[in-house]
Amino acid sequence: MSDGDLLQRFLFERYPVRGHIVHLDASWRAATEHHDYPAAVGGALGEALAATALLAGSMKFEGQLSLQLQGPGPVHLLLAQCTHRHAIRGVARHQGEPSADAGLPALFGDGRLAVTIEQERRRDRYQGVVPLDQPRLSDCLERYFERSEQVPTRMVLAASGERAAGLLLQRIAVGHGSAEDPDPRAVAEADDAWRRIGMLAATLQPAELLTLPSQQLLQRLFAEDDLRLFDGEPVWFQCSCSRERVEAILRSLGRAEADDILQEQGAVEVRCEFCNRGYRFDAVDVAAVFASPGRGQAPSGLH
């Protein structure tokens, strides 16, 4: 499919509505190739990765955006991340095998969703939290935008073993950027258009979102509207783990604990949960790590 691993922006020509659509193919498969997730867990992770790409495309930042879902249910942690350059990665930790049609409450229990933006060049860190009290991730994220961003939003997400996809629609204020008060008639027309567009988006089926090319899908879904679809930006899988980061984690554990692991296992072995890359430290390596304690601290973004 020509729109695979692409994030595309589109606009409604007549109405103050913008959108993004994303299809993850090779990037989605790379994110899960070292994991054997049950269908419900893999589906939740795929939707979360598609959502991070959509959110990263709709926000202005330089750094990393994370969706973290936590709760006391069978899936106790799910983390999906996307950089402003659209590099994605994600991981889920679970117990047992939830039902294939389990919704968010069944997967996470009485959990919560945190949306976190960490800026690359500054120490700014923004986080918004909403409860996981809706059956779908898209519903929870719509509530997040309503509460935290005050931006009316509609979202549709879907995932299979081969592809993850998402559609995001957002209402723009009438007269945005203008010093003049908007015409009440224009506001009423925009309100009607937003309600109609939202109703149309609600009819989109997961199979359509996963299989139809972006242009065909948008033309079929919004047949009466003039849309402008922009060229896509590539999305790819990339893990930020490194030996230096793992060394910082060892320092945070402390020399005594590292020595205990050495004595018990003969080496300290750390495997990245995202990409499955392994890092091995023998006694000489561990001594070298603690001989230079000032080289760095454990990175806050590494899970």
Side-chain angles (χ1 to χ4, degrees):
M1 301 181 184
S2 59
D3 60 357
D5 296 302
L6 282 181
L7 174 67
Q8 291 180 270
R9 182 170 65 96
F10 62 91
L11 296 173
F12 286 75
E13 297 283 13
R14 291 184 54 198
Y15 304 113
V17 179
R18 65 186 180 188
H20 286 81
I21 186 167
V22 67
H23 291 103
L24 308 178
D25 292 335
S27 57
W28 163 231
R29 295 191 293 272
T32 57
E33 64 178 341
H34 298 295
H35 303 275
D36 185 19
Y37 293 123
V41 179
L45 179 59
E47 290 189 7
L49 283 171
T52 60
L54 292 172
L55 268 61
S58 67
M59 298 180 178
K60 292 183 178 180
F61 71 100
E62 290 189 6
Q64 182 171 261
L65 182 147
S66 301
L67 294 184
Q68 184 166 305
L69 292 76
Q70 285 184 287
V75 185
H76 53 276
L77 173 67
L78 186 153
L79 179 65
Q81 298 177 323
C82 184
T83 71
H84 68 281
R85 299 181 181 89
H86 311 311
I88 63 168
R89 68 174 190 169
V91 68
R93 298 174 183 167
H94 67 95
Q95 295 178 336
E97 187 159 346
S99 170
D101 58 354
L104 286 190
L107 291 176
F108 294 91
D110 185 18
R112 66 172 199 165
L113 163 67
V115 180
T116 306
I117 299 175
E118 297 173 281
Q119 296 282 3
E120 193 173 73
R121 299 180 180 179
R122 304 195 302 269
R123 293 187 176 181
D124 295 353
R125 186 175 186 269
Y126 166 82
Q127 185 174 80
V129 179
V130 293
L132 289 173
D133 57 357
Q134 302 296 313
R136 299 177 299 184
L137 176 60
S138 56
D139 299 326
C140 295
L141 287 170
E142 288 177 7
R143 179 166 294 187
Y144 160 78
F145 273 103
E146 178 184 348
R147 291 182 177 180
S148 300
E149 305 292 333
Q150 287 80 52
V151 179
T153 300
R154 296 291 178 268
M155 185 179 291
V156 184
L157 302 168
S160 66
E162 295 296 315
R163 173 175 255 204
L167 174 73
L168 173 73
L169 295 164
Q170 291 186 321
R171 166 77 184 271
I172 306 170
V174 176
H176 178 69
S178 173
E180 299 180 2
D181 292 334
D183 185 340
R185 290 173 299 180
V187 173
E189 182 182 12
D191 289 342
D192 290 341
W194 175 246
R195 283 190 290 268
R196 177 179 61 83
I197 290 169
M199 292 174 62
L200 291 172
T203 67
L204 181 59
Q205 298 299 307
E208 295 176 301
L209 183 56
L210 289 169
T211 60
L212 293 179
S214 298
Q215 185 168 358
Q216 181 181 348
L217 185 150
L218 293 174
Q219 288 176 343
R220 177 183 295 188
L221 193 60
F222 307 112
E224 299 179 3
D225 297 293
D226 294 328
L227 296 178
R228 188 191 317 174
L229 179 64
F230 296 86
D231 292 338
E233 299 180 41
V235 182
W236 68 94
F237 171 79
Q238 182 183 61
C239 188
S240 60
C241 72
S242 67
R243 192 172 182 86
E244 183 179 29
R245 283 173 171 254
V246 177
E247 289 177 0
I249 293 175
L250 287 182
R251 291 192 195 93
S252 69
L253 290 176
R255 182 64 185 266
E257 187 168 348
D259 285 343
D260 287 344
I261 297 173
L262 279 173
Q263 185 173 2
E264 180 180 334
Q265 302 180 12
V268 179
E269 295 189 2
V270 179
R271 188 164 296 276
C272 177
E273 290 187 290
F274 293 96
C275 67
N276 205 42
R277 181 179 178 182
Y279 298 88
R280 188 177 188 277
F281 297 81
D282 59 20
V284 174
D285 296 327
V286 171
V289 167
F290 287 96
S292 52
R295 289 170 56 185
Q297 301 297 323
S300 60
L302 186 64
H303 296 262

